[in-house]
Amino acid sequence: MHLLALLLAASPLPDTNWPSYGNDPGGSRYAPLAQITPENVAGLEVAWTYRTGDLGEGFASGENMAFEATPILVGGTLYLSTPYNQVHAIDAATGERRWMFDPRIPKDLWYSENTSRGVSAWRDPGAAGGAPCALRIFIGTLDARLIALDSETGKPCADFGDAGSVDLAAGARLRDEGDYLVTSPPVTWRDLVITGSAVGDNRAVDVELGIVRAFDARTGELAWSWDPIPRSADNPAYKEWTGKAAEWTGAANAWSVLSVDVERGIVFVPTGSASPDFYGGERPGDNRHANSIVALDAATGEVIWARQLVHHDVWDYDVASQPVLIELERDGEKIPAVVQATKMGMLFVFHRETGEPLFGIEERPVPASDVPGEKLSPTQPFSALPPLVSHAPLTPDDAWGITFWDRGRCRDLIAKYRSEGIYTPPSLEGTIVWPGYAGGSNWGSVSFDPERQFVIANTMQLPFVVQLIPRDDLEKVRESGVYEDSQFARQAGTPYGMRRKVLESPLGAPCNPPPGGMLAAMNLRTGKIQWQVPLGTTEDLAPWPFDDIEGVPNIGGSIVTAGGLIFIGAAADDYLRAFDIATGKELWKGRLPAGGQATPMTYRMNGRQYVVIAAGGHGGAGTTRGDYVVAFALPEK
């Protein structure tokens, strides 16, 4: 027995995969790997670096490019997408290119989003081994195509749609090219590939339809379509809308990542705001199925259950995070649950089969609107789990700045605007939306440690000013030169345009005190926050002596390993970090050649555990740009 044990110990451990965006179809972002531990993580070094070549050159909106992809791993090959939809196949052990496919999306369009978070893989159970397209790689593109590629060669699968591509704009009520696109990977279930879409915000009431569609993974034929907004009286939700609003309102789209309960045949869909985001007078009522987590029958697209998390949204509080499927341990039983993170910094947990809340939800009164034509819900749902960001008003006493002078300017700005805490509605004088529409949590979602029952969430607390502007005054205000740093939107079909910007000092520092970004562990056994620590520093954001402030805005997500570690980039500095999941202590950080505003992944290959992250920066966040994929590992023995 002693000899057998030695032989087994000497045998290389089997290779592992990361076959879906969140590793498993439920997006837990958990890997049962333990070669890298709190004791040895400080020894991580760069194992290989790959460059995609996609730097947005020649694209009209290239300045907004964001490299947000998480690679998937199937059979020794990493597959990932670049911001402008190139698909790269990379040897997982060496970082060498196997093939590259470029769909050649139009460069002259102004895309409302300039990113792609990844691809999906589907193996045809009826195909012979080695047959063309037996394993298909699916990607949705910024010019609204769904493309199927042969995993071995990168060539389009000729039997899928029209020579490998399905036109997603068809049937979506296309209004503006470049504003109906796909930024997140599709999901698969049995013989179906299922996708939502991204819809450019705040253009008008009658923007594109937020439909979720399933296609035959072999042929590309449409299997079913679900619209979150009811369009006809035979839909049970139609009675909760006025006829005009149900006909003309667009969006409520699922632009983030979907999740699939493969065994139960349920697709979990996070939906966004109905159009436009900041004024809802043309869509009275709660706008059911917008801003919701919706469980759909994967075979038919029929609604099984739905829970709205924001009523009549006027804050752009999309349900932006992938729903995460977990087994919740309670009273000696394992309950199939789904965790939904939100931009409001709240976590909601539901029974997967019924939608029953597994932690309480309370409807609480919220501030009313004083904008003519607007009628908000008098209450909003609050989770019994403690919030991960502040819901209190931002007051002049909270003003922060790098110097005494800009702190005073922030104090004056905060006093100028309406600020009554979370759910303070947009106003004509300007409102502090806090947390802002970037989150709380965003598309990076959360990860889950099944052993400890910890939900790991990275959040940010960044205030924005949102101001509604009467239609006749919009152009005059835009051209006044007073608000050169603001974003403006028409919100056509409503009486108001919109202005918004980060609430910051003249020196560019947020007016709220740090930390502006946090990493937290929510203990689902106790229903309490286990720990919460600042995430990132101002090293790459501010000059000395202000370059060591802890806790900065972040975009991306975390992963958890059986080795007791959390790996995360996300923060607006150029590092990948490792934290001890038990304590929240930062144990290691590895310098990246560009911003790591993506979610990492991990796998074991030839007995060696790798941690891989896309490092290409984020145009909106202003982080270092690049086209890198970086793999870290412990030194080879």
Side-chain angles (χ1 to χ4, degrees):
M1 290 294 293
H2 181 66
L3 177 61
L4 178 60
L6 289 174
L7 290 173
L8 289 174
S11 301
L13 294 170
D15 295 345
T16 63
N17 287 316
W18 187 281
S20 301
Y21 174 80
N23 194 12
D24 52 83
S28 73
R29 296 170 187 79
Y30 172 79
L33 299 177
Q35 184 182 85
I36 306 171
T37 67
E39 291 71 31
N40 64 23
V41 66
L44 284 179
E45 61 183 21
V46 174
W48 54 257
T49 299
Y50 176 85
R51 301 196 68 173
T52 69
D54 184 357
L55 291 166
E57 294 178 358
F59 283 88
S61 52
E63 63 188 30
N64 298 322
M65 184 186 83
F67 196 5
E68 299 177 346
T70 298
I72 62 171
L73 172 63
V74 182
T77 302
L78 293 166
Y79 302 94
L80 74 146
S81 55
T82 69
Y84 293 106
N85 301 133
Q86 295 176 9
V87 180
H88 291 249
I90 307 168
D91 186 298
T94 65
E96 296 178 355
R97 179 181 296 182
R98 288 183 168 165
W99 55 257
M100 187 272 282
F101 168 79
D102 188 348
R104 300 188 182 278
I105 66 173
K107 291 187 174 183
D108 58 343
L109 289 180
W110 185 271
Y111 297 107
S112 56
E113 299 290 338
N114 293 260
T115 193
S116 173
R117 296 182 189 95
V119 300
S120 297
W122 176 78
R123 190 174 297 279
D124 186 346
C133 292
L135 176 66
R136 300 182 178 212
I137 304 300
F138 287 102
I139 182 172
T141 66
L142 297 184
D143 61 346
R145 288 178 283 163
L146 179 63
I147 299 173
L149 303 175
D150 177 18
S151 67
E152 291 296 321
T153 65
K155 295 180 179 179
C157 298
D159 55 352
F160 182 80
D162 181 8
S165 175
V166 169
D167 179 11
L168 296 175
R173 197 176 73 181
L174 186 65
R175 186 183 193 274
D176 302 300
E177 283 192 290
D179 279 297
Y180 184 78
L181 26 77
V182 179
T183 54
S184 293
V187 296
T188 62
W189 181 77
R190 294 187 179 175
D191 295 345
L192 299 178
V193 55
I194 305 164
T195 185
S197 62
V199 174
D201 291 341
N202 301 309
R203 291 170 288 136
V205 173
D206 59 336
V207 298
E208 292 79 10
L209 306 180
I211 47 181
V212 177
R213 286 174 285 186
F215 298 90
D216 186 294
R218 294 185 183 88
T219 67
E221 293 183 5
L222 181 67
W224 54 257
S225 177
W226 175 73
D227 193 330
I229 299 176
R231 305 293 173 181
S232 62
D234 59 357
N235 189 313
Y238 186 81
K239 63 181 181 296
E240 299 181 27
W241 291 71
T242 65
K244 181 180 179 181
E247 180 181 355
W248 287 108
T249 303
N253 51 300
W255 60 264
S256 189
V257 185
L258 314 183
S259 290
V260 182
D261 184 326
V262 175
E263 179 184 349
R264 294 173 175 83
I266 304 174
V267 179
F268 293 89
V269 180
T271 65
S273 311
S275 60
D277 287 342
F278 295 104
Y279 177 76
E282 312 305 322
R283 46 175 172 85
D286 282 353
N287 308 146
R288 183 180 174 190
H289 289 162
N291 303 89
S292 300
I293 176 172
V294 182
L296 300 180
D297 185 315
T300 66
E302 296 295 319
V303 175
I304 298 172
W305 60 263
R307 285 281 181 171
Q308 189 173 62
L309 304 181
V310 183
H311 308 317
H312 191 89
D313 181 23
V314 292
W315 303 272
D316 194 6
Y317 282 161
D318 294 334
V319 182
S321 301
Q322 180 184 17
V324 175
L325 308 188
I326 70 168
E327 297 291 330
L328 179 66
E329 296 178 1
R330 180 175 286 179
D331 300 327
E333 296 183 5
K334 290 188 175 182
I335 303 171
V338 53
V339 177
Q340 184 62 65
T342 65
K343 289 184 177 181
M344 301 84 73
M346 288 186 276
L347 298 179
F348 295 86
V349 185
F350 303 99
H351 195 292
R352 269 188 250 168
E353 296 173 343
T354 66
E356 174 192 0
L358 296 174
F359 293 87
I361 298 176
E362 178 186 9
E363 291 283 339
R364 298 180 191 169
V366 294
S369 176
D370 58 3
V371 174
E374 184 64 271
K375 187 176 181 181
L376 301 181
S377 170
T379 65
Q380 292 290 347
F382 285 76
S383 173
L385 291 169
L388 299 173
V389 299
S390 173
H391 288 169
L394 189 67
T395 72
D397 290 340
D398 299 318
W400 187 85
I402 292 176
T403 68
F404 177 82
W405 172 76
D406 71 324
R407 188 180 308 121
R409 293 294 300 273
C410 279
R411 188 179 299 113
D412 294 341
L413 284 171
I414 294 171
K416 176 181 177 181
Y417 296 118
R418 184 175 178 184
S419 179
E420 300 168 35
I422 192 170
Y423 294 119
T424 306
S427 60
L428 298 177
E429 70 269 25
T431 288
I432 296 174
V433 178
W434 166 255
Y437 66 88
S441 293
N442 209 295
W443 57 262
S445 192
V446 297
S447 54
F448 182 68
D449 180 352
E451 177 184 345
R452 294 175 177 83
Q453 294 280 290
F454 285 3
V455 174
I456 305 301
N458 54 296
T459 59
M460 58 179 154
Q461 185 113 350
L462 193 62
F464 285 78
V465 172
V466 176
Q467 182 179 13
L468 296 178
I469 303 170
R471 173 73 51 215
D472 293 343
D473 298 334
L474 181 61
E475 290 306 315
K476 179 175 64 176
V477 173
R478 187 205 299 262
E479 296 173 3
S480 68
V482 176
Y483 303 110
E484 292 184 352
D485 294 333
S486 293
Q487 295 177 329
F488 287 85
R490 292 191 57 79
Q491 299 191 138
T494 78
Y496 306 101
M498 180 275 297
R499 175 183 78 87
R500 69 180 179 184
K501 74 178 300 290
V502 176
L503 181 66
E504 58 187 4
S505 77
L507 296 181
C511 283
N512 59 301
M518 303 286 281
L519 184 68
M522 181 74 76
N523 188 333
L524 294 188
R525 287 197 175 102
T526 64
K528 297 179 180 179
I529 297 173
Q530 187 74 18
W531 51 257
Q532 194 167 22
V533 298
L535 176 61
T537 73
T538 53
E539 176 179 342
D540 295 306
L541 301 174
W544 181 89
F546 310 109
D547 58 350
D548 60 352
I549 298 169
E550 293 187 319
V552 295
N554 52 88
I555 294 288
S558 64
I559 63 171
V560 176
T561 72
L565 293 170
I566 301 162
F567 288 98
I568 184 168
D573 57 10
D574 301 342
Y575 287 99
L576 175 67
R577 289 177 165 86
F579 292 82
D580 187 325
I581 194 169
T583 65
K585 181 181 179 181
E586 182 180 313
L587 301 175
W588 168 86
K589 62 180 181 180
R591 189 68 169 166
L592 298 172
Q597 283 68 58
T599 302
M601 50 85 74
T602 186
Y603 56 90
R604 183 173 55 229
M605 185 67 54
N606 299 328
R608 195 180 189 196
Q609 183 181 349
Y610 295 82
V611 181
V612 176
I613 188 169
H618 191 286
T623 53
T624 308
R625 297 278 292 274
D627 64 341
Y628 303 88
V629 183
V630 184
F632 293 89
L634 295 173
E636 290 188 283
K637 294 181 179 179

